[in-house]
Amino acid sequence: MFKYILLTCAAISFAGGPTHEPEDIDFSRVKGKKVVKLLHGYDLESAADIAALAPSCYEDNDSLSYQSHTKVMEVDAEIDEVWSTYKSISPTEDNQNKVRFGLLFSPDPNKLSYSADSYDGIKEGQIVFWNLKFVMGLVKIPVGQKIMEVNDEEKFIKICYLAQGKSHGTQYIQLYPEEDGKTKIVHYTRYKSASKFRDKRLYPMFHNKAITEFHEDVIHKVMEKNKSEEEDNETLSSK
């Protein structure tokens, strides 16, 4: 995701310990002019600024104002293997046609990460900025999201939009084991904006394209790993 997905470094002071200055955003390393413009539009200059961003999640008490979108996919692999891939896949690995990574904030340790940096996996509290590209790159949509929950027991990820953005709501990625050893992937979204036309006509189309590409990247990575392991086993058995 994932294809679908974060940044901080606030000043921390410990008794008797050193004080660390907030890490400034290196805009020259941020991928995507639209993402850079979004960061400036939010008046974000440092990791501390990003850490202070509030999410805008789906609210049950206002459910009628939200639209819904569901995407279901399947992969021929065990659920634990698929879940591990969703947790570990780098946001830069899904840089295909539509989903482009811009910047990541991770709260523990507090740091900013760019496209060339190593990735330690998805964690609660991360904030990620993406540049979504559609219609052969003619339409570019920057977006920020916060990882609210990564539930290992129930195998789901909860992602919310940022309060400063045009879209508000929550995305849920849930995995389910199937009897034949396969895994069902359900991506359920509750969303809204200030534009009914955008919510009814534009969001479902662009959102579906973006998350489909992300999940296809995860599935491809799972299948490539399985293929490699099968080839290794065949090599060992032939010796």
Side-chain angles (χ1 to χ4, degrees):
M1 200 164 246
F2 169 161
K3 287 129 231 295
Y4 266 161
I5 314 78
L6 314 149
L7 319 152
T8 195
C9 216
I12 304 175
S13 180
F14 297 93
T19 298
H20 303 284
E21 293 298 324
E23 179 183 357
D24 289 336
I25 299 172
D26 185 349
F27 290 100
S28 67
R29 299 182 64 194
V30 178
K31 296 294 185 180
K33 293 181 180 179
K34 288 283 188 178
V35 174
V36 172
K37 184 177 179 180
L38 179 73
L39 296 172
H40 285 313
Y42 290 175
D43 293 325
L44 303 176
E45 298 293 338
S46 69
D49 293 337
I50 296 174
L53 292 174
S56 180
C57 302
Y58 165 75
E59 298 178 358
D60 283 327
N61 60 3
D62 191 27
S63 61
L64 295 180
S65 69
Y66 289 85
Q67 303 294 322
S68 64
H69 179 278
T70 303
K71 179 76 178 182
V72 180
M73 303 180 76
E74 185 181 69
V75 55
D76 189 6
E78 296 288 343
I79 189 170
D80 287 338
E81 181 181 357
V82 180
W83 177 244
S84 176
T85 304
Y86 271 101
K87 289 179 60 181
S88 63
I89 190 169
S90 170
T92 62
E93 289 189 46
D94 63 352
N95 286 347
Q96 302 297 321
N97 296 321
K98 302 174 182 64
V99 183
R100 302 293 180 93
F101 170 73
L103 182 66
L104 174 71
F105 160 76
S106 297
D108 185 23
N110 296 333
K111 69 176 183 178
L112 302 176
S113 299
Y114 304 87
S115 60
D117 295 336
S118 60
Y119 181 66
D120 297 328
I122 190 171
K123 296 178 176 62
E124 294 178 11
Q126 289 177 330
I127 297 176
V128 63
F129 294 91
W130 305 95
N131 187 26
L132 308 182
K133 303 178 70 174
F134 305 101
V135 195
M136 300 179 65
L138 296 177
V139 177
K140 300 177 182 178
I141 305 172
V143 62
Q145 299 171 324
K146 182 170 184 176
I147 305 301
M148 303 301 296
E149 185 174 359
V150 180
N151 192 309
D152 287 310
E153 182 176 353
E154 298 185 27
K155 303 292 189 298
F156 78 83
I157 299 169
K158 177 182 176 181
I159 307 166
C160 289
Y161 288 105
L162 299 179
Q164 292 84 348
K166 291 183 178 180
S167 293
H168 306 276
T170 305
Q171 298 183 43
Y172 308 88
I173 300 174
Q174 177 87 59
L175 305 186
Y176 298 94
E178 298 190 315
E179 293 182 358
D180 55 3
K182 297 180 181 179
T183 298
K184 181 168 69 173
I185 305 161
V186 178
H187 193 134
Y188 179 61
T189 306
R190 296 301 305 269
Y191 65 95
K192 68 176 181 179
S193 73
S195 170
K196 291 184 178 180
F197 175 78
R198 182 179 187 272
D199 291 347
K200 289 285 189 178
R201 301 296 183 184
L202 300 181
Y203 184 99
M205 176 178 62
F206 290 140
H207 179 64
N208 186 69
K209 289 179 181 292
I211 66 173
T212 297
E213 182 175 273
F214 167 68
H215 291 299
E216 287 178 346
D217 289 339
V218 175
I219 291 172
H220 176 74
K221 188 174 180 67
V222 171
M223 300 311 294
E224 283 294 305
K225 180 182 178 181
N226 286 347
K227 180 180 178 181
S228 178
E229 291 177 349
E230 289 175 1
E231 291 175 348
D232 290 341
N233 292 335
E234 290 177 359
T235 300
L236 290 175
S237 63
S238 64
K239 292 182 179 181

